[in-house]
Amino acid sequence: MEQLNRIELRGNVGNVRISAVGSSQVARFSLATNFMYKTKDGEAVVETTWHNIVAWAGKGMPDFSAIVKGAPLYVAGRLRTSRFTGNDGTEKTVYEVIASKVEVPDDQA
């Protein structure tokens, strides 16, 4: 059976940090997605999840100046898990989406 590691997200940008790495650029930003449901009592609940995104400039990427706080985005990529020991000595796990495609809706560009 073929293995698959793919994630697609549509949400709004939170914090953005764009850095130069050699002759390329990397954008690291958070993306909020909402899941809405109703409780047994009929009360509407919105559950927001924040995702860490890493996007390298190149094919499938927009001009990184379009990635601004609050902007709606579509992101496709793969999930990567990293583990490290924090300054306080505790083991930490970080989940990141390594983007292969980032799209800004036409009315936002």
Side-chain angles (χ1 to χ4, degrees):
M1 178 184 289
E2 182 179 341
Q3 296 181 8
L4 180 65
N5 180 356
R6 180 171 171 81
I7 187 167
E8 293 182 88
L9 302 167
R10 187 177 301 132
N12 293 87
V13 176
N15 296 323
V16 181
R17 188 177 73 218
I18 299 171
S19 308
V21 177
S23 61
S24 189
Q25 279 190 319
V26 62
R28 293 180 175 273
F29 58 95
S30 57
L31 190 74
T33 58
N34 293 326
F35 179 73
M36 295 172 236
Y37 63 93
K38 289 187 179 183
T39 64
K40 287 187 254 182
D41 301 329
E43 183 180 333
V45 177
V46 177
E47 181 181 285
T48 301
T49 303
W50 288 94
H51 310 273
N52 298 313
I53 313 294
V54 178
W56 289 86
K59 184 180 176 188
M61 297 299 158
D63 180 0
F64 284 162
S65 65
I67 302 175
V68 294
K69 189 171 188 167
L73 285 184
Y74 166 81
V75 176
R78 64 183 175 87
L79 190 60
R80 177 173 71 181
T81 306
S82 302
R83 289 186 181 87
F84 64 94
T85 303
N87 293 337
D88 59 359
T90 61
E91 185 81 12
K92 311 248 185 219
T93 303
V94 175
Y95 299 92
E96 296 176 314
V97 175
I98 308 302
S100 57
K101 184 178 191 177
V102 174
E103 291 181 356
V104 180
D106 289 337
D107 58 341
Q108 299 295 318

